[in-house]
Amino acid sequence: MKEELRELWRYRELLFTIVERDLRIRYKNSALGFLWSLIIPIVTTGVLTFVYGYLANNGVSNFSAYVMAAYLPYLFFQQSILDSAQSVLSQVPLIKKIYFPRELLPLGIIIANFIHLLLGWLVFFAFLGFIYIRNPQVNPFQFSTIQLPLLMLISLFLSTGLGLIVSALNTFYEDVKYLTGVAMYLLFFLSPITYTSETVAYSAINQRTNGVLFSLYHLNPIAALSTGYRQALLAPVSITIGNTTHPPIGMKPMYLYIAAAVSVVALIGGYALFNRMKWRFVERP
Amino acid sequence: MTEATTNRTPTISVRNLRKKFRVSNAAIGGLKTLLLWWKKRSVREFEVLKGLDFDCYPGECVSVIGRNGAGKSTLLAILARVYRQTSGEVKVNGRIAPLLELGAGFHPDLTGMENIIFNGVVLGLSRKQIRERIPQIIEFSELGDSINSPVRSYSSGMLARLGFAVAIHVDADILLVDEVLSVGDYAFEQKCYDRVDRFRKEGGTILMVSHNLQAVERFSDRCVWLKDGQMVMSGLPDDVLAAYLSDQASAQAEETSTPD
């Protein structure tokens, strides 16, 4: 693996070029171009604010911010994995003609998506600023926001590791792409994105199992990360189920450590698997 | 091999090179093939290269001839590191620019200019270096203003010109050419050959695969004849070509005389 990493470093210029190319192609034939990267999170924030403010108000003020805090990193994860799946397969004609480290294809796409996540956070903090201007009594900005880079690093490792696995497997077995599509879909609903982890903690089934379900639930790194992002970026909220209002409960840091460990294992394992398979990409039947 | 070349270090050195391909009868490996792995899959193995040994030296132009399926293109692809050999040793001394298929590395939605940068970086230049060479590349390719249009609007001749122009301007030490110099029109072809000649005089090595025997005779210093993955003969182009042609003729005679 050391040799492979050295080779990767030698080709760093190409990695930047692939990222640049990916960002260019994405909006190549559109009039607004790169602005779309900002428009999508802006529109999402607007819709969520309308839906959770008027249509599905659950009593939490500015609930749309809570959704965005978990949704933006989830979107990065999902898009990275789905794009990775096609990254090598769509470039088979190219890699049949010329050598470069094959891992640059998924890596470039994941980095491009990471740049979109950064733009998403830009919109998110602008939104918090907007909330602050409308209601200056409460400062929505949290000191714990300094944890954000660490959380993003965990997300990046996890996405890269799984992205490498999916891109290698999908080159030979195209069912993998559809399988990951379904997995992403399920993961979205099984993670606290449109609801809070408190909802899970106070659910009847969790009370019956003495909190075992809540623990198991957060073993899913995406669930742990969603709660982690929310806790870092926003003030804790009380939630109301039925007529009772429950105080916020924090997630134990242990679950974030587990998520971090899983992401490191995914990264190393994914890179090892990719390197084992990459020479056969050009020989796919 | 002439006396003069034996003392220098080779730019390409190949020892006992073997390449096996595994071909599954299932068209595309689906999940089904994976799940049914325990069932005896109909995987055929065939050896395309069966132990090759040869060297190329700086300033030399070596051409590889042989019938379709002899392993010529596989050999070039292994040298370009597109395939990894099954066994044997490949040593390459210097940077390789493969011209395996002109324009294959271009992205249709990007402009010619953007593709020059991408391809130049793939071939080992930094972005700064490639930017400095862009004027020369555009001039050589004769594309003019079209350089700012997406390459999907290019004709095959334009693609070929751009591909060659990039490959020749990246300061490679070794040029791998797979039957591609005969694209473009006559004038451009001449320009390519002139440029290749200059490249060789500056100490570059060329390894080319061609069915155009006139080009082989005209350009190469040495000729390697491959048949069924093995080297039949290596030497001066005149000798090898003569032997190759007489073999072809006798094979053809045999084929026509064989009763159905």
Side-chain angles (χ1 to χ4, degrees), chain B:
Chain B
M1 204 180 301
T2 55
E3 282 301 312
T5 57
T6 45
N7 303 330
R8 287 185 285 170
T9 39
T11 40
I12 301 174
S13 170
V14 170
R15 290 289 170 271
N16 196 21
L17 179 65
R18 285 171 186 277
K19 178 68 192 171
K20 271 187 199 144
F21 282 106
R22 308 184 62 172
V23 179
S24 158
N25 284 354
I28 287 287
L31 208 59
K32 208 166 63 186
T33 359
L34 182 71
L35 295 173
L36 298 176
W37 64 272
W38 64 84
K39 272 179 98 176
K40 194 77 187 156
R41 265 186 297 161
S42 45
V43 176
R44 281 186 307 128
E45 237 180 32
F46 64 95
E47 206 166 24
V48 179
L49 297 175
K50 302 168 182 162
L52 285 188
D53 295 87
F54 74 92
D55 296 301
C56 297
Y57 293 88
E60 208 180 14
C61 176
V62 179
S63 54
V64 182
I65 56 168
R67 298 189 64 173
N68 288 332
K72 308 181 298 290
S73 297
T74 307
L75 170 66
L76 250 56
I78 289 174
L79 290 172
R81 295 222 280 161
V82 167
Y83 292 129
R84 178 176 265 182
Q85 69 268 33
T86 310
S87 67
E89 203 182 327
V90 177
K91 265 192 218 152
V92 174
N93 220 329
R95 204 163 71 210
I96 284 188
L99 280 172
L100 300 190
E101 191 180 298
L102 288 182
F106 291 149
H107 195 290
D109 277 343
L110 294 179
T111 66
M113 180 79 85
E114 289 161 338
N115 271 303
I116 292 176
I117 296 174
F118 185 78
N119 259 45
V121 175
V122 172
L123 293 172
L125 291 186
S126 70
R127 279 179 292 183
K128 190 168 164 287
Q129 283 172 314
I130 194 84
R131 273 197 202 101
E132 287 163 6
R133 281 160 221 220
I134 279 178
Q136 290 160 267
I137 293 174
I138 295 174
E139 201 204 308
F140 190 92
S141 66
E142 300 168 11
L143 283 172
D145 290 337
S146 309
I147 204 72
N148 290 317
S149 326
V151 298
R152 75 176 114 81
S153 64
Y154 284 21
S155 67
S156 59
M158 290 161 85
L159 278 175
R161 279 177 355 230
L162 187 62
F164 185 84
V166 175
I168 203 74
H169 281 95
V170 295
D171 293 346
D173 306 294
I174 302 155
L175 213 55
L176 301 178
V177 186
D178 191 351
E179 202 75 67
V180 281
L181 290 187
S182 47
V183 282
D185 53 29
Y186 180 76
F188 188 75
E189 199 182 317
Q190 288 312 304
K191 198 162 106 176
C192 289
Y193 280 126
D194 288 347
R195 196 67 175 74
V196 167
D197 264 337
R198 203 175 104 199
F199 170 79
R200 210 159 100 197
K201 286 201 186 82
E202 289 164 358
T205 308
I206 299 161
L207 188 65
M208 69 179 207
V209 163
S210 187
H211 289 288
N212 179 351
L213 299 183
Q214 280 170 327
V216 169
E217 195 171 9
R218 183 171 150 211
F219 281 99
S220 44
D221 306 303
R222 199 146 54 84
C223 189
V224 172
W225 171 15
L226 290 190
K227 191 177 181 181
D228 299 329
Q230 278 168 319
M231 191 193 289
V232 181
M233 198 176 170
S234 161
L236 291 173
D238 287 343
D239 305 341
V240 178
L241 283 174
Y244 175 64
L245 286 173
S246 74
D247 181 77
Q248 290 268 70
S250 63
Q252 214 160 30
E254 214 170 278
E255 238 165 64
T256 43
S257 65
T258 312
D260 288 311

Side-chain angles (χ1 to χ4, degrees), chain A residues 4 7 10-11 13-18 20-21 24-25 28-29 91 93-100 102 171-176 179 275 279 282-285, chain B residues 19-22 24 26-34 80-84 98 100-101 104-107 109-111 114 117-118 121-123 125-127 152:
Chain A
E4 251 112 18
E7 182 82 350
R10 248 203 311 276
Y11 276 85
E13 278 271 338
L14 182 58
L15 181 59
F16 302 142
T17 315
I18 287 178
E20 201 185 315
R21 187 177 79 154
R24 266 178 210 271
I25 295 169
K28 191 70 193 178
N29 299 318
Q91 299 293 328
L94 176 63
I95 64 175
K96 274 191 171 163
K97 301 300 164 211
I98 201 158
Y99 170 81
F100 56 85
R102 276 46 176 133
T171 307
F172 297 106
Y173 315 106
E174 286 185 53
D175 300 66
V176 170
L179 215 62
N275 282 334
W279 288 100
V282 285
E283 296 174 28
R284 69 186 282 279
Chain B
K19 178 68 192 171
K20 271 187 199 144
F21 282 106
R22 308 184 62 172
S24 158
I28 287 287
L31 208 59
K32 208 166 63 186
T33 359
L34 182 71
R81 295 222 280 161
V82 167
Y83 292 129
R84 178 176 265 182
L100 300 190
E101 191 180 298
F106 291 149
H107 195 290
D109 277 343
L110 294 179
T111 66
E114 289 161 338
I117 296 174
F118 185 78
V121 175
V122 172
L123 293 172
L125 291 186
S126 70
R127 279 179 292 183
R152 75 176 114 81

Side-chain angles (χ1 to χ4, degrees), chain A residues 182-216:
Chain A
V182 174
M184 289 300 138
Y185 188 67
L186 295 180
L187 214 50
F188 176 77
F189 292 108
L190 287 175
S191 304
I193 295 165
T194 52
Y195 53 94
T196 64
S197 54
E198 278 83 0
T199 321
V200 181
Y202 293 115
S203 64
I205 181 170
N206 186 48
Q207 304 289 350
R208 268 208 303 282
T209 55
N210 284 324
V212 173
L213 181 87
F214 187 64
S215 311
L216 286 176

